Amino acid sequence: MPLRPRLLHPAAWWLWGLGLATAASRTTNPVVLLLVIGVCIVVVTERRDPATTNPLWGFLAIGAIIIAFRVVMTMLLGNGVHGETVLFTLPRVPLPEWASGIRLGGPVTLESLLYAVYDSLRLAAVLACLGAANALASPRRLLRYLPATLYDVGTAVVVGLTFAPQLVTDARAVRAARTLRGHEGTGARETARLAVPVLETAFERSLGLAASMESRGYGRTVHASTRDRRLASGLALVGLLGVLGGLYGLLDASAGGALGLPLLAVGAALAAASLVVGASRERRSGHRRDRWQWPETVTALAGAVPAVVLVAGSVRGWDGIIVTPAPGLPALPLPVVAAVLLAAVPAWLTPRPREEDR
Amino acid sequence: MITFDHVSVTYAGAPAPSLHDVTLEIPEGELVLVVGPTGSGKSTLLRTINGLVPHFSGGTLSGRVTVDGLDTARHRPRDLATVVGLVEQNPSTTFVTDVVEDEVAYGMETMGLDPTSIRRRVEETLDLFGLTPLRGRPLGALSGGQQQRAAIAALFAAGPRVLVLDEPTSALDPVAAEEVLASLHRIVHDLGVTVVLAEHRLERVVHHADRVVLVDGGHTSDLLDPAEAMLDSQIYPPVVGLSRLAGWAPTPLSIRDARRRASALRERLVEASSRSVPELRAVGPATALSVSDLRVVRAGRIVIDELDLGLEAGSVTTLMGRNGAGKSTLLGAIAAQHPVAKGRVRLGASSVDPHAVPPRERVRAVGLVPQQPELLLYADSVAAECVAADADFGAAPGTTAALLHRISGGIDGAQHPRDLSEGQRLELALAVILAGSPEVLLLDEPTRGLDYGAKHRLGEVLSGLAAEGTTILLATHDVELAAEVADRVVILADGEIVTDGKAREVLSASPAFAPQVTKVMLPQTWLTVAEVANAIGRSA
């Protein structure tokens, strides 16, 4: 066994996760969404980065909370979906005239509940994909590849990327400490009390990390002049905005899907340009960088395929992509299932992470 | 090398400046020790050297700080990174990567060294700091001391001309601390690196220092000769205390110097020691805590195996051993923070199994003050925290506040727990845990960041609690605290007990764990300055 077993390039895992998340965001088919979550769990179980504390479960828990919340809110308030199948009727609370648009209580239909479940399941699946990416390659490993030219944007990305997994770790620590004060550390009231200290701790840590990167020379002035630096930063900022706008267009079909792709392309081009401009001046060097080889390509593709299939499917309006909430199982397009299952391939085709004692 | 020219620092919203008109000039190749009580502005002083104050922290800095000719007003910390390396107080929050080796290489990568030299320097640095066996380990899985070493190594590898360290040895066991200081000594002497460090544990560092700066309330002294500085410093190590007691001049700073002068004192004490063997605290039967055949597995690794331990009611036991020996894990297993793989833990007279009872009942049997006391604190003011603790433990209103008053003697109730100094936070956390009046009190590394005054107060509080019948087990690297409070010392290595005995016997038998007074007075086994003073007083 080699001394330092190979780990997959972190960018490959993140591309895979983002691809799968894009796929999940385009469908409300519960079977497909559950498949996506299943694929995440399988791949993470097989290929987890041992340096992380497996944030996937935290993300899954948040997903479950979102679903439960949506269901309860739908029961109480309804969601505008009118169905035939009335499951039960809650006592209706009469509201004053000015609030006539809001309904409190009343009949609860199966269709409206299904709609709520499907819709929130989609969000849960997207979260599972992000959690999986976090668990497979810790964001800190990704950080090493973040170009120093993006300094100003980079620090923000540092804080953002490390915040969520740090949150999960700190939630565990604070919950454990909570039992020292005689609390079980579970339940809704407890969660509410934990929120502030956990957020504070995680935020402090992220800031500490940013300070440490600063004092260790991340983003040192590599440009000849301030003008150059501002140009590269400006280019990067506009590029990132373009990428974000484009992604938003792609992910949210209701908000101008036609604009999504071109915006994404332009943004990506701008961001790439700023990277090229920056990289040519960058003096940073690499120590044992992960290499991009065929398993990385396979992984990235395994994430891209379901994204492409589902985006194509939703644009063309295939059956069973957007499901009308109705009793019974929805239609299940075979190509979609095949594409999502394909995303599980990296669980076996990639090198196994080191499993030495921790 | 480093010049401070009338430097004052005021943080945003602070009523008074944290640093007040500091003018200093630190020459190249010196090892400068910054000495001062907690909250005196030491950390601020250190952080101005690489520009984190004010570039990152905010606040106003007036005057000028220049490092190697670079003005920190015009050069940001990242541009100073080639010149200054800063090791922060709590290294775990400053790691950029996940794995030891990557962390060591990170600084060199940002500096753009070529990969071949990075490889070479990584190897050298790993060897220098004894990190080679840990190179592939995740940083989060290292013990506190190992993390500290990794953080210093990572900074050192980048080859800065100035190294600034904030409390580099407070989390380390005595041997590891000695190793870190020896490597600092080496880089100062062989490579001409300028080192500025702040440290509360003067007994470990003062004899390595070339110059000392005293800081108090934001005011600094000039660069002083260490022996002169110790002559009238409010904060001094035990060996200096002994010297003041015996009237030695000039003040010895190392054990070696002190031993040369101590023969007269030793003779004077021979008679006294035969008469006054300090009496042991009265302790109850060994039923307060019983651990038998314990095995704890964490992340697939056996951390503790086949461990048996019984504690007498009302005794104070210190748990010592090198970093990563399993001390925190043992405390965590006793307080049911970690699951037990095998064996049993029983607490108190009624033999409570902490793993079988709900937290509400468990806190009556056992209380743990964790290594990071801030994890226990949630409220937005000290007073609110005390009220919450009363409610948590079902204690009478005002219990926690009264405990806090007794422990600390005055923390402003309106302050936010996160704005307290490290020592005050510990005192607050201790008060919170004591509100549950646990039979067994566990403390994990309570002396980190405490100055001598706060440590002495902690020692008195613990002795007082033990006298009232609380059984105390504390994990610490601080031999001086152990000498002050412990009845019994248990030394752990690789999850097994290697030594277990009366504090006096264990501490004076092992060179690594002997307190300074013992080292000076051997073969007599005095542990603290107070004991010696007492004996002289009685014999005179």
Side-chain angles (χ1 to χ4, degrees):
Chain A
M1 201 172 119
L3 273 175
R4 195 180 153 106
R6 201 171 100 79
L7 279 174
L8 204 69
H9 198 294
W13 280 129
W14 279 82
L15 284 176
W16 174 88
L18 290 178
L20 204 55
T22 311
S25 71
R26 297 315 294 250
T27 179
T28 55
N29 188 325
V31 181
V32 177
L33 290 172
L34 286 176
L35 261 181
V36 167
I37 295 176
V39 164
C40 287
I41 294 175
V42 168
V43 176
V44 168
T45 317
E46 286 292 318
R47 289 294 181 266
R48 184 166 81 79
D49 180 351
T52 70
T53 44
N54 200 355
L56 177 63
W57 302 116
F59 278 82
L60 287 180
I62 296 174
I65 292 171
I66 290 174
I67 297 177
F69 184 75
R70 272 294 286 277
V71 167
V72 171
M73 291 314 275
T74 305
M75 279 187 200
L76 290 178
L77 298 173
N79 55 4
V81 174
H82 299 287
E84 315 268 287
T85 335
V86 176
L87 291 176
F88 51 88
T89 306
L90 292 175
R92 183 147 187 178
V93 180
L95 289 176
E97 191 68 21
W98 51 267
S100 58
I102 305 169
R103 180 189 69 115
L104 201 56
V108 176
T109 63
L110 180 65
E111 284 80 2
S112 65
L113 279 190
L114 280 181
Y115 177 81
V117 169
Y118 292 174
D119 203 46
S120 45
L121 190 61
R122 173 161 70 167
L123 191 51
V126 170
L127 281 176
C129 296
L130 292 183
N134 265 307
L136 290 163
S138 91
R140 289 176 181 232
R141 280 182 57 222
L142 194 63
L143 279 183
R144 292 180 65 200
Y145 298 90
L146 200 67
T149 27
L150 297 183
Y151 175 78
D152 305 301
V153 186
T155 312
V157 174
V158 171
V159 174
L161 268 183
T162 53
F163 190 69
Q166 198 67 66
L167 204 64
V168 176
T169 320
D170 287 331
R172 277 185 201 151
V174 170
R175 231 190 87 186
R178 221 31 212 160
T179 62
L180 294 175
R181 284 179 71 160
H183 291 270
E184 297 284 354
T186 53
R189 257 184 82 191
E190 271 297 292
T191 315
R193 285 197 71 174
L194 292 188
V196 173
V198 170
L199 283 173
E200 263 176 358
T201 319
F203 192 64
E204 260 174 31
R205 274 180 205 258
S206 292
L207 275 185
L209 174 62
S212 161
M213 290 182 74
E214 166 93 39
S215 57
R216 291 176 63 189
Y218 173 74
R220 295 173 59 228
T221 345
V222 286
H223 297 282
S225 70
T226 337
R227 217 182 110 245
D228 268 9
R229 209 168 68 91
R230 289 203 179 129
L231 181 74
S233 283
L235 219 55
L237 199 64
V238 175
L240 273 181
L241 279 178
V243 170
L244 281 180
L247 276 179
Y248 183 73
L250 273 187
L251 292 178
D252 186 5
S254 62
L259 206 61
L261 212 55
L263 205 58
L264 182 65
V266 172
L270 277 177
S274 89
L275 288 191
V276 170
V277 169
S280 63
R281 294 160 195 272
E282 177 150 15
R283 294 218 317 268
R284 212 161 53 138
S285 57
H287 171 69
R288 300 204 205 228
R289 289 297 164 109
D290 302 297
R291 277 162 301 168
W292 191 282
Q293 288 171 338
W294 66 265
E296 277 79 4
T297 312
V298 167
T299 306
L301 281 179
V305 167
V308 169
V309 169
L310 273 147
V311 169
S314 73
V315 169
R316 296 251 177 108
W318 290 354
D319 249 7
I321 300 269
I322 301 295
V323 179
T324 35
L329 269 185
L332 205 56
L334 200 62
V336 171
V337 174
V340 170
L341 285 181
L342 189 72
V345 161
W348 295 279
L349 282 188
T350 54
R352 185 172 278 278
R354 48 184 176 239
E355 281 197 16
E356 58 192 283
D357 57 349
R358 300 194 290 130
Chain B
M1 193 68 191
I2 309 167
T3 6
F4 293 87
D5 186 15
H6 298 287
V7 175
S8 298
V9 174
T10 312
Y11 289 116
S18 302
L19 280 184
H20 207 87
D21 196 24
V22 174
T23 302
L24 274 179
E25 184 158 356
I26 297 174
E28 188 173 350
E30 296 261 55
L31 200 160
V32 176
L33 176 65
V34 181
V35 176
T38 344
S40 58
K42 293 195 302 294
S43 295
T44 305
L45 183 72
L46 297 191
R47 285 163 70 102
T48 54
I49 296 178
N50 83 335
L52 272 185
V53 173
H55 284 297
F56 205 89
S57 67
T60 351
L61 183 144
S62 62
R64 242 156 73 98
V65 183
T66 50
V67 184
D68 200 16
L70 302 173
D71 187 342
T72 59
R74 274 178 293 140
H75 293 82
R76 296 188 54 100
R78 55 176 182 263
D79 304 319
L80 291 167
T82 39
V83 186
V84 186
L86 171 74
V87 184
E88 301 252 17
Q89 213 159 7
N90 189 357
S92 66
T93 59
T94 63
F95 290 132
V96 181
T97 63
D98 280 327
V99 179
V100 174
E101 186 175 344
D102 295 348
E103 185 68 21
V104 171
Y106 180 83
M108 291 185 278
E109 287 179 348
T110 64
M111 263 152 228
L113 293 183
D114 66 293
T116 335
S117 12
I118 294 187
R119 270 309 288 277
R120 203 189 65 237
R121 282 201 67 110
V122 165
E123 297 305 320
E124 288 171 2
T125 312
L126 289 176
D127 279 343
L128 186 64
F129 288 89
L131 292 167
T132 318
L134 306 173
R135 62 191 306 163
R137 292 270 289 274
L139 287 159
L142 301 183
S143 78
Q146 291 166 335
Q147 285 183 344
Q148 186 82 53
R149 258 152 63 206
I152 300 177
L155 259 302
F156 172 72
R161 304 195 49 207
V162 178
L163 209 51
V164 180
L165 304 107
D166 200 351
E167 306 252 349
T169 74
S170 59
L172 300 187
D173 65 66
V175 178
E178 213 32 70
E179 274 169 20
V180 166
L181 289 166
S183 39
L184 285 180
H185 195 76
R186 200 176 326 155
I187 62 178
V188 170
H189 283 248
D190 297 354
L191 307 172
V193 176
T194 311
V195 173
V196 182
L197 75 147
E199 179 62 69
H200 283 306
R201 303 231 178 139
L202 292 181
E203 70 269 17
R204 289 178 169 179
V205 293
V206 75
H207 52 284
H208 288 287
D210 297 317
R211 289 276 181 264
V212 169
V213 176
L214 303 176
V215 185
D216 200 0
H219 296 269
T220 58
S221 70
D222 293 331
L223 281 187
L224 302 170
D225 178 72
E228 278 172 31
M230 284 304 114
L231 211 54
D232 45 25
S233 165
Q234 289 181 2
I235 296 171
Y236 51 87
V239 68
V240 173
L242 204 59
S243 151
R244 289 183 184 183
L245 186 69
W248 294 328
T251 312
L253 297 177
S254 66
I255 301 297
R256 187 161 164 244
D257 289 346
R259 275 196 73 84
R260 284 179 183 153
R261 302 200 189 112
S263 52
L265 181 63
R266 269 199 297 268
E267 272 168 33
R268 229 171 115 194
L269 284 169
V270 169
E271 200 189 340
S273 69
S274 61
R275 275 196 287 126
S276 66
V277 178
E279 59 284 359
L280 280 172
R281 211 192 314 269
V283 293
T287 53
L289 167 70
S290 88
V291 172
S292 51
D293 196 24
L294 184 73
R295 173 187 291 171
V296 184
V297 180
R298 289 183 74 186
R301 204 164 68 98
I302 297 180
V303 182
I304 286 178
D305 204 10
E306 293 180 8
L307 188 132
D308 297 293
L309 180 68
L311 294 187
E312 299 90 359
S315 66
V316 180
T317 307
T318 54
L319 193 58
M320 306 185 85
R322 70 174 83 86
N323 295 122
K327 301 186 296 293
S328 299
T329 305
L330 176 58
L331 295 189
I334 295 171
Q337 295 264 296
H338 305 308
V340 163
K342 206 182 105 191
R344 46 175 260 164
V345 179
R346 292 292 180 272
L347 291 163
S350 45
S351 273
V352 180
D353 177 358
H355 293 268
V357 296
R360 188 162 290 280
E361 287 172 43
R362 193 190 303 143
V363 293
R364 307 269 167 233
V366 59
L368 168 68
V369 180
Q371 210 165 46
Q372 295 166 290
E374 59 270 20
L375 284 179
L376 278 178
L377 310 174
Y378 315 95
D380 54 8
S381 74
V382 172
E385 195 68 66
C386 291
V387 173
D390 291 341
D392 282 350
F393 295 108
T399 311
T400 315
L403 281 165
L404 181 63
H405 185 73
R406 181 181 146 195
I407 295 171
S408 77
I411 292 181
D412 178 9
Q415 269 189 297
H416 195 287
R418 280 180 196 265
D419 292 337
L420 298 177
S421 75
E422 195 115 13
Q424 291 173 323
R425 261 205 300 265
L426 175 85
E427 287 163 348
L428 178 56
L430 181 59
V432 165
I433 289 299
L434 286 177
S437 51
E439 282 182 67
V440 179
L441 176 66
L442 311 172
L443 297 112
D444 194 355
E445 209 60 65
T447 58
R448 184 169 187 168
L450 296 198
D451 53 38
Y452 285 104
K455 216 150 65 175
H456 185 69
R457 230 169 28 236
L458 176 69
E460 282 179 346
V461 169
L462 294 184
S463 302
L465 286 170
E468 290 160 21
T470 308
T471 311
I472 297 168
L473 176 62
L474 76 149
T476 183
H477 294 306
D478 194 326
V479 289
E480 305 297 339
L481 179 74
E484 211 166 298
V485 299
D487 303 307
R488 182 173 156 197
V489 173
V490 174
I491 297 180
L492 215 59
D494 282 339
E496 292 170 8
I497 291 178
V498 289
T499 313
D500 179 1
K502 292 206 179 78
R504 188 171 305 277
E505 287 160 18
V506 176
L507 290 178
S508 56
S510 109
F513 293 105
Q516 280 200 312
V517 173
T518 315
K519 283 181 181 162
V520 173
M521 302 308 289
L522 274 175
Q524 296 171 22
T525 56
W526 303 96
L527 292 179
T528 62
V529 178
E531 260 179 27
V532 174
N534 215 344
I536 293 179
R538 254 184 285 171
S539 68

